Amino acid sequence: MSWLACYLFCSGLLLLHKDVACEEYQNVDSTMKRQDVVVLKCAYPQMSKMIQLSWVKNIEGVKHKIAVYNPSRGEHIFPLYNQSVTFLSTSISGDIQLRATAAEEGSYQCSINTFLEGVLLKQFAVINPDTFKAKFAKGQAADTQVLLVPDNSMTLSCGYLDGDKVVQLTWQRVTEEEISMIANFTQSQSFIGYDYRRRIQTDYMPHQNISLTIQNVTTNDVGMYSCHVVTSNGKWTKLFDVSVEGEQSDVPPRIHATSQVLVEGQSDPSKAVTDITMFLIIGAVAFGSLVLVISVVIVICVKRRKKRKRNKKQFKKGIAERNYQRRANPNSYAAPDIYDRANSRAAGYQEESIYANL
């Protein structure tokens, strides 16, 4: 999708001027600030079979081998860098750790030979901290606050052209230690950063808004994003402070939080409040219904228990009254069972005539 977007973008850049000044490192995938320890992430995409991964350093146009990793033979670091370079624990990703000094400033390249996709290249530049600070001013306030939602898409709107002719368009992501090139479009070239080639979509039409969409964002995409536009009538730069929802950002935005840009795929806050209200109402109704059912069951059980006790008490009372009547007058009709037994015995002894022949 990124190459299709690039083609569409470049087809719309027929208005670009020919003479565009090339800035240093403008087509480097990642510009790093030199520190005691620098981590260079090659980021093997794992969409094709890796044949071999290698690191080199460019010194005055000459490539010096640093390290090699082969899936079947393991890793190897060349003697010149044996003390300053190490593979990280997950060496299949190709990331290395560089214990940097002033001598380690320069240009680095990670190349991955893969089956089907061929050779994948990622360019790095390790520069002096003062140069890094001067070139990319830190602490500059953001124009817009953006909240990303992991696993969704994020759209950044740079501004409207209003009929101006575009000379150059550059998207970058800036953190305290690294500047990642997302895309750089001119008339002569179209460059998309290594880490964004499968994830971005650019939108550019005359007299319309310039925007960038990054797909499948994660928490690793947090940072300051810059959109730099050079037109025939001037230039402007717009900064976006991207953070995860619920986390505080260290960079103060220039606009109030109520003017936040909604990330594509992010739900509307008013809708979220409505959903929460509905959830609370449904929960209250369900809880009330449960309490009512339990109350009815308890009342029925109590009534049945009282009825059983009452019937048992009446039964015992009836037995006691019959026993008392029997003891008072055994032949009384009040004790019909005794009277009936007496009559039945008397009826059994009736006299009958007996005839005898002598």
Side-chain angles (χ1 to χ4, degrees):
M1 291 297 296
S2 60
W3 290 111
L4 177 60
C6 175
Y7 172 78
L8 294 176
F9 187 94
C10 293
S11 63
L13 289 179
L14 297 177
L15 303 176
L16 292 178
H17 288 184
K18 295 182 179 180
D19 49 350
V20 178
C22 295
E23 296 182 4
E24 189 179 9
Y25 308 127
Q26 70 175 2
N27 286 340
V28 174
D29 295 282
S30 180
T31 302
M32 312 289 296
K33 178 175 65 174
R34 178 179 57 80
Q35 303 179 85
D36 294 336
V37 176
V38 177
V39 176
L40 304 181
K41 298 181 179 180
C42 192
Y44 166 54
Q46 299 184 357
M47 299 182 65
S48 298
K49 182 180 179 180
M50 178 194 292
I51 300 175
Q52 184 165 293
L53 180 147
S54 61
W55 283 92
V56 298
K57 181 179 181 181
N58 296 319
I59 302 177
E60 297 180 354
V62 179
K63 294 183 178 180
H64 296 260
K65 295 181 180 180
I66 298 176
V68 176
Y69 173 78
N70 186 286
S72 58
R73 297 185 178 182
E75 62 187 49
H76 174 73
I77 300 175
F78 290 89
L80 185 61
Y81 298 93
N82 198 23
Q83 301 298 322
S84 60
V85 175
T86 56
F87 276 99
L88 297 183
S89 56
T90 55
S91 56
I92 192 172
S93 67
D95 301 347
I96 62 173
Q97 180 175 279
L98 178 65
R99 287 182 290 276
T101 62
E104 269 68 51
E105 294 178 6
S107 176
Y108 294 82
Q109 175 181 287
C110 172
S111 62
I112 308 175
N113 294 319
T114 65
F115 177 69
L116 291 181
E117 292 195 47
V119 180
L120 304 177
L121 299 176
K122 186 175 182 180
Q123 304 286 341
F124 295 83
V126 178
I127 64 177
N128 186 281
D130 296 333
T131 305
F132 185 94
K133 184 177 180 180
K135 192 173 185 62
F136 308 99
K138 182 179 179 298
Q140 189 174 356
D143 297 282
T144 304
Q145 178 95 21
V146 180
L147 300 179
L148 65 81
V149 178
D151 300 326
N152 283 273
S153 298
M154 176 178 67
T155 299
L156 306 178
S157 179
C158 187
Y160 290 88
L161 296 177
D162 196 20
D164 295 340
K165 296 180 180 180
V166 177
V167 176
Q168 183 177 8
L169 172 62
T170 304
W171 286 93
Q172 291 179 323
R173 173 178 174 267
V174 183
T175 63
E176 294 183 357
E177 301 175 354
E178 180 181 4
I179 293 89
S180 300
M181 178 64 71
I182 301 175
N184 184 38
F185 298 110
T186 65
Q187 182 187 20
S188 59
Q189 61 180 354
S190 300
F191 179 82
I192 298 177
Y194 178 88
D195 295 330
Y196 297 92
R197 291 173 187 173
R198 295 178 175 84
R199 300 176 55 205
I200 71 168
Q201 291 180 337
T202 56
D203 187 15
Y204 163 74
M205 293 293 291
H207 310 290
Q208 293 188 7
N209 188 23
I210 298 175
S211 63
L212 172 72
T213 299
I214 303 177
Q215 300 173 341
N216 301 322
V217 295
T218 65
T219 54
N220 294 328
D221 292 309
V222 170
M224 182 76 73
Y225 288 74
S226 68
C227 170
H228 182 68
V229 182
V230 180
T231 67
S232 57
N233 295 324
K235 60 182 179 180
W236 75 85
T237 300
K238 186 174 182 180
L239 299 179
F240 305 84
D241 180 23
V242 177
S243 58
V244 180
E245 187 172 3
E247 295 184 359
Q248 297 293 334
S249 175
D250 296 333
V251 182
R254 292 181 183 173
I255 61 174
H256 195 265
T258 55
S259 300
Q260 293 176 351
V261 175
L262 291 179
V263 179
E264 183 177 339
Q266 179 181 351
S267 59
D268 189 359
S270 60
K271 183 178 180 182
V273 173
T274 304
D275 294 340
I276 294 175
T277 304
M278 292 299 297
F279 176 80
L280 294 176
I281 294 175
I282 294 173
V285 172
F287 179 78
S289 302
L290 180 62
V291 172
L292 180 61
V293 171
I294 294 175
S295 301
V296 171
V297 171
I298 292 175
V299 171
I300 293 175
C301 292
V302 170
K303 287 185 177 181
R304 287 184 177 179
R305 186 175 181 181
K306 288 183 178 180
K307 186 176 180 180
R308 285 198 298 269
K309 287 184 177 180
R310 186 168 57 252
N311 293 339
K312 187 176 181 181
K313 185 176 181 180
Q314 291 178 354
F315 178 76
K316 290 182 178 180
K317 183 178 180 180
I319 292 176
E321 290 178 356
R322 286 196 298 272
N323 291 337
Y324 175 79
Q325 291 175 358
R326 289 173 184 174
R327 288 193 298 269
N329 187 2
N331 296 323
S332 173
Y333 285 101
D337 52 346
I338 300 176
Y339 179 76
D340 292 339
R341 286 198 299 271
N343 292 339
S344 62
R345 286 197 298 271
Y349 289 96
Q350 292 181 359
E351 295 181 357
E352 295 182 357
S353 299
I354 299 175
Y355 296 92
N357 295 322
L358 301 177

